[in-house]
Amino acid sequence: MSEKGLMAKYSLEIEETYRQRTRKSREVIASAAKYVPDGDYRVSIWFEPYPTVMARGDGCHLYDVDDNDYLDFSNNWTSMVLGNNHPKVVETIQQQAPMGSAMSAPHTSAYEWAKMICDRIPSVEKVRFCTSGTEAVMFAVRAARAFTGKDKILKMEGNYHGSYDPMEMTVGWRKLPVGLPKSVEEDVLVTPFNDKEAAERIITENKDELAAVIVEGILGAAGMIPPEDDYLKHLQDVAGQNDVLLIIDEVISFRLATGGAQDIFNVSPDLTVLGKTIGGGLPTGAFGGREDVMAVYSPRQKRPAHHAGTFVATPIAVMAGIASLKEMTAETLDRINRLGWSLAERLRGVLDDLKIKAQIKGYGSLQQIHFTPEPVTTASTAYFTMNRDVLRLFHLVMMNKGLFIGSRGFFSITTPMSEVEIDKAIEATGESLAELKPLIQEIAPQLIG
Ligand SMILES: Cc1ncc(COP(=O)(O)O)c(C=O)c1O
């Protein structure tokens, strides 16, 4: 059979199993399309032939509208580090709900939350809040521009920082993303992650116009790729020598240690961006850092930078965030990191046994499979050399086996998990890859050997 024919045969069979298991999901998405374009209201929940519609979550499980049970290794894109409906978070929300959900005045809980964040991250001397990671990035960038009086921002190729126009631009290797004004190209520079010389060159050459360098603690959505060879520290040094601020986006990486990835990789940025896990599952974000930089937002400045938001730090979200941070102790985070390292080692074992040359990249509780034989150190290696067909079918076969991993191939560990769930993930991965191996042999022979 031709490569194309074999691919069509596998797709058809795997999709048919998926369709049989998820009949109600298909109906929901089909009828939703009347009001929501194609039934999709958030790009990161969409996959073909149609996404699974979930009815509820419980701990590290999700249950779909057809009552299928999934082990949740995606956990709302790594954000639900305590799993679903953690009892302490639920209790806190229930206590706060009857006492008011939003008010146009400060609430004491926000100051308690601020103290907790500053206590955990030494580089964060002052912090402010918002309702998403995207907003937190936007306001951190604004702080850097206001403080330095410069406009340009340097970011890493492929590094995702949310949906703020200039940050979407920084995908770098693509054409201007649809819907963005051409003007964003003027203010954003892009460099490959983990390439010290390239970053140094671009920072020194542009230092008079460059306000900040923004980088994640580990590249999250771009492949769970950790910094190598003191890369972040190098960025800090070079940026500092050139009067450029360093912003570390810890929206994903904060869950790796109580002080985030900056603690692990021994770096002290001028500004830090937070989101996802700090809100206990409610929509929140935060940005903070050096006192003198954060002072640009001080209401007692002659001309403060503007930062507003109707639902910033509402008491229910803040209380959920506080409850969540209390549970994210060093011991708990270490335990799930150990589970992640164990998963990574055992995934490599599965690949070796099957003689498949994919890569496992990650740090602690965040691991990802990359269907490429190339070592993955930058987003471009991951993006350009991976086999997308294999990834798509692998994800779908895993769904058919009740393993809900990220559609990009990541496994995010949550606190309700133990070795039992790691065993299940290993078993499902082994079975899925064994099933796909004859196809991989034909369509991606470079992955075999
Ligand atoms: C590193 C990083 N920064 C920022 C964001 C944007 O956060 P949000 O989706 O809450 O706007 C994301 C989202 O995935 C992210 O991964």
Side-chain angles (χ1 to χ4, degrees), residues 59 65 75 82-83 132 141 154 203 205 216 227 241 256 284 321 351 430:
V65 288
N75 35 96
L82 306 180
S132 70
V141 165
L154 172 64
I203 292 170
E205 279 172 10
E216 275 184 275
Q241 286 151 16
L256 296 175
T284 54
L351 292 170

Side-chain angles (χ1 to χ4, degrees), residues 132-135 137 159-163 216 221 249 251-252 276 284:
S132 70
T134 295
E135 275 182 51
V137 166
N159 205 162
Y160 182 64
H161 295 289
S163 310
E216 275 184 275
D249 180 343
V251 167
I252 286 185
K276 294 201 195 284
T284 54

Side-chain angles (χ1 to χ4, degrees), residues 96 99-114 127-129 299-300 309-316 318-319:
Q96 182 57 41
M99 295 201 285
S101 55
M103 40 205 83
S104 46
H107 188 267
T108 50
S109 60
Y111 302 121
E112 187 187 341
W113 200 31
V127 67
R128 292 176 74 100
F129 300 111
R300 292 186 173 145
T310 304
F311 290 102
V312 166
T314 52
I316 296 179
V318 172
M319 296 303 278

